[in-house]
Amino acid sequence: MRHEEQRERMIFFGHLLFLGVALLLQTWSFLADYARPDFALVLLLVSALFLDFPKIFLMILIAVFFLNWQPSLSLDLIVFSILPILAFLAKKFIPGRPEVVGFFAVFLGTLAFYSISTFEVFWSNLVLAGAVVVWNLVFGYLAYSVIAKFLKPLR
């Protein structure tokens, strides 16, 4: 039992470390002038497929605090916070392979986030919108692959 608890802690620490890397990539993005992927959102959507609710909720709080340490929440951050919770619920209620659910979580999460937060900007330039979606899907695939290989819980 002790070994399993220690492994669960290390897995969660790995998710937090991966979130830190995603947040740094997002803030220091080399694509700032072009299609800027939302690494933190994608990682939270993918992590929601592997972690239980309290852990994913804590990761959401950490990401929101890092992205905006102001006391008020904007619509962007509210949507940003809700989408990983919806991905968590989707894994519970939608049967299928986890990687397919992850692909649709990242794809639909990206579309929902940008459609709600910056509708005019996102949909007025379809090339930019497509590039953001593709970058998010590529990062989502990489994140899913790393998490499934190294950070997957025993359950």
Side-chain angles (χ1 to χ4, degrees), residues 45-152:
L45 290 170
V46 171
S47 290
L49 303 175
F50 292 96
L51 297 176
D52 56 350
F53 186 76
K55 292 175 183 171
I56 196 66
F57 188 72
L58 180 61
M59 286 180 68
I60 292 169
L61 290 177
I62 291 169
V64 167
F65 179 77
F66 184 83
L67 293 172
N68 181 26
W69 50 271
Q70 313 271 333
S72 63
L73 286 177
S74 63
L75 176 65
D76 298 351
L77 288 176
I78 293 170
V79 173
F80 178 90
S81 301
I82 290 172
L83 288 173
I85 294 170
L86 293 176
F88 174 81
L89 294 174
K91 81 170 180 184
K92 297 284 186 192
F93 296 112
I94 298 175
R97 298 179 58 173
E99 54 272 356
V100 175
V101 175
F103 172 81
F104 281 109
V106 171
F107 180 72
L108 296 174
T110 300
L111 290 180
F113 178 73
Y114 286 105
S115 293
I116 293 171
S117 64
T118 58
F119 182 81
E120 300 85 20
V121 175
F122 188 69
W123 292 106
S124 66
N125 188 348
L126 292 180
V127 173
L128 180 66
V132 168
V133 170
V134 168
W135 274 109
N136 281 358
L137 287 173
V138 168
F139 183 71
Y141 173 76
L142 294 174
Y144 185 90
S145 298
V146 168
I147 290 171
K149 179 79 172 163
F150 299 109
L151 301 175
K152 188 175 183 179

Side-chain angles (χ1 to χ4, degrees), residues 27-39:
T27 26
W28 298 333
S29 180
F30 58 94
L31 301 167
D33 296 334
Y34 305 105
R36 189 172 189 171
D38 202 344
F39 296 116

